[in-house]
Amino acid sequence: MRRLVLSLSLLIGACAPMAPESVSRAAGAATVAPEVSPPLASRFGAPDPVPPQASNAQIARDVIDLAFSLESGRALPIFTRFEGPVTLRVAGKAPASLGPDLDRLLRRLREEAGIDISEVQKGEANITLVPVPREKIRKQLPQAACFVIPGVSSWNDYRRAQNAGEASWTEVRERETAAVFLPADAAPQEIRDCLHEEIAQALGPLNDLYRLGESVFNDDNVHTVLSGYDMLVLRAFYDPALRSGMGREEVAAALPGILARLNPAGESVPDRRLAPTPRAWIEAIQTALGTSEPLPQRRAAAEEALRLARAEGWTDHRLGFSHFALGRLLVSEEAAQAETQFRAALRIFSALPDARLHEAYAAAQLAALALRTGHPEEALALTAPHEAAARRHENAALLASLMTLRAEALDALGRPTEAAAVRLDSLGWARYGFGPDWNGAAQMRRLAALDPAQGS
């Protein structure tokens, strides 16, 4: 039982959010490298995004910070976007899962964000998707799974621009072309996650902000598909009242009217006035959840992030995430202390209006610990309620992990028929989330390398 539960804990760790060090989407350590998507991989139904929970006043501040800064903190001089209809093309051989996920995303961008975007099969396009081997990406950006570059349409274009020092968003005055480089040999969910974040950044926000609790534009990687908040931000980016070349003050003056028109419900939401995130906390959390430092340094960084979060007086998801990050680094060797951290994170997330997905991650960690200590009833109570959040946010890896934990709890409670049904249902989600060659024994062997004690 201990060996099985340890494996389940590693499974949860594998799909837990990680903080990247690069300016693009962080590489997901848990994904397998399939060549094609099999028919057994499950798919989500009609999108059901959660409406924005923030006030319009907060969203206006967010849009300014997303539009006028890069992730590095470097300021951008003017507002930029594509002007007119946007075309998109896939270059080269695409993984089997890419087409359906891309169609779904483009439909959402048209319907929810109001962006005139369509796919073309040949010729020039504004945005070019370039599937390349994962190793090729990591040679350029070791901590990245995918990235977007302005002014280029191919890998050769990118390398030439890079060598010439021209691949910079700071030089863009109006967006005309961009290339998104995707890992062709990743699991379907990782490819889809890259589609969402990188196409959205090609279209709009170039920055990530840790204060955003309900957005893919957050380096904690909790959200993996564009949320209702994200679609509102993109709709504001492409509102007729804005145009490329506007300055920060011009955009700030226009946003209150834009958001009042697009999101009238946000006018009556109390303004939480979330403070900016200090660079010291960002660096501490990135070290804690990175892979480059030994475990003792990562644990010290997590403790420092929690200290800084408390010193800032935060009560939002950043405080909860600080507890969560520390818990992940304690779970393999100090289970009781890890549980304390996960319970603190769960309390904070549960009290927030925009943290259902965060809450599900914390509950999954606690469920794995409950099984490990022989409390299957608690594990069952922790997993079942959060599967709905994983489904709504279209996170197959998290959903499969929650279902696996629930199946083990049912087995331990002497309900093998129910357990077998849940386990069978989880298989399709696991094959989408972790890769189509997923199977229990092989996947557990792969995930053993993700034990925090091994520093990976």
Side-chain angles (χ1 to χ4, degrees), residues 194-207:
C194 284
L195 286 175
H196 277 248
E197 182 164 354
E198 303 307 330
I199 291 176
Q201 290 203 311
L203 291 166
L206 297 170
N207 195 5

Side-chain angles (χ1 to χ4, degrees), residues 20-355:
E21 296 174 6
S22 71
V23 298
S24 58
R25 178 156 191 86
T31 52
V32 187
E35 293 184 359
V36 296
S37 177
L40 289 178
S42 296
R43 294 282 177 173
F44 292 99
D48 184 25
V50 177
Q53 302 297 302
S55 69
N56 281 349
Q58 180 65 58
I59 296 171
R61 290 192 292 272
D62 295 343
V63 171
I64 290 296
D65 288 343
L66 288 167
F68 286 93
S69 295
L70 296 173
E71 294 178 59
S72 63
R74 188 173 181 181
L76 293 169
I78 59 172
F79 177 83
T80 64
R81 69 181 188 190
F82 289 101
E83 301 293 341
V86 180
T87 56
L88 180 146
R89 182 176 67 89
V90 180
K93 184 178 180 181
S97 66
L98 188 147
D101 283 334
L102 178 60
D103 289 344
R104 182 184 179 91
L105 172 58
L106 295 181
R107 188 180 308 114
R108 285 193 63 199
L109 289 169
R110 289 189 293 266
E111 295 175 358
E112 298 175 41
I115 297 174
D116 185 358
I117 184 169
S118 59
E119 184 179 3
V120 297
Q121 301 302 319
K122 57 183 179 179
E124 297 299 319
N126 299 114
I127 300 173
T128 306
L129 304 184
V130 186
V132 297
R134 179 201 301 266
E135 187 60 29
K136 204 169 186 179
I137 292 176
R138 291 192 175 173
K139 283 183 178 178
Q140 295 299 307
L141 294 171
Q143 298 295 327
C146 44
F147 60 98
V148 58
I149 297 293
V152 302
S153 299
S154 69
W155 185 265
N156 288 337
D157 287 349
Y158 159 59
R159 293 306 306 273
R160 282 194 294 269
Q162 184 185 43
N163 292 335
E166 298 172 350
S168 173
W169 288 102
T170 59
E171 304 302 319
V172 176
R173 294 298 177 264
E174 178 182 324
R175 302 190 199 185
E176 296 177 344
T177 57
V180 172
F181 299 102
L182 304 166
D185 47 359
Q189 178 165 313
E190 183 175 335
I191 296 171
R192 181 211 61 186
D193 296 351
C194 284
L195 286 175
H196 277 248
E197 182 164 354
E198 303 307 330
I199 291 176
Q201 290 203 311
L203 291 166
L206 297 170
N207 195 5
D208 278 339
L209 300 171
Y210 274 102
R211 73 167 183 260
L212 306 183
E214 49 180 330
S215 174
V216 302
F217 303 118
N218 184 328
D219 271 341
D220 65 12
N221 281 359
V222 170
H223 286 268
T224 57
V225 299
L226 291 168
S227 64
Y229 169 96
D230 295 326
M231 289 298 184
L232 175 60
V233 167
L234 286 169
R235 186 176 281 273
F237 250 79
Y238 282 82
D239 191 88
L242 300 181
R243 66 183 182 280
S244 294
M246 293 178 72
R248 186 184 183 99
E249 292 184 1
E250 291 178 282
V251 175
L255 281 172
I258 292 171
L259 292 170
R261 174 164 35 83
L262 297 180
N263 186 41
E267 293 292 287
S268 58
V269 175
D271 186 359
R272 296 165 63 195
R273 300 196 69 84
L274 298 181
T277 307
R279 193 72 213 173
W281 184 89
I282 293 173
E283 292 173 356
I285 208 74
Q286 288 179 343
T287 299
L289 293 182
T291 61
S292 59
E293 300 295 333
L295 184 61
Q297 283 89 327
R298 293 167 61 196
R299 176 171 171 173
E303 291 169 344
E304 175 65 5
L306 180 56
R307 186 194 69 78
L308 290 169
R310 287 170 170 163
E312 289 290 323
W314 291 339
T315 58
D316 57 69
H317 60 279
R318 290 172 292 184
L319 176 60
F321 194 72
S322 300
H323 283 289
F324 182 88
L326 180 56
R328 284 201 63 205
L329 294 172
L330 295 171
V331 72
S332 63
E333 295 182 351
E334 300 180 48
Q337 292 187 41
E339 181 179 358
T340 298
Q341 298 301 323
F342 290 137
R343 290 198 183 282
L346 187 63
R347 283 194 300 272
I348 294 164
F349 294 148
S350 299
L352 298 173
D354 57 356

Side-chain angles (χ1 to χ4, degrees), residues 432-450:
Y432 182 81
F434 295 116
D437 60 345
W438 189 95
N439 68 69
Q443 184 67 3
M444 294 308 177
R445 287 195 296 272
R446 292 187 187 96
L447 296 181
L450 298 175

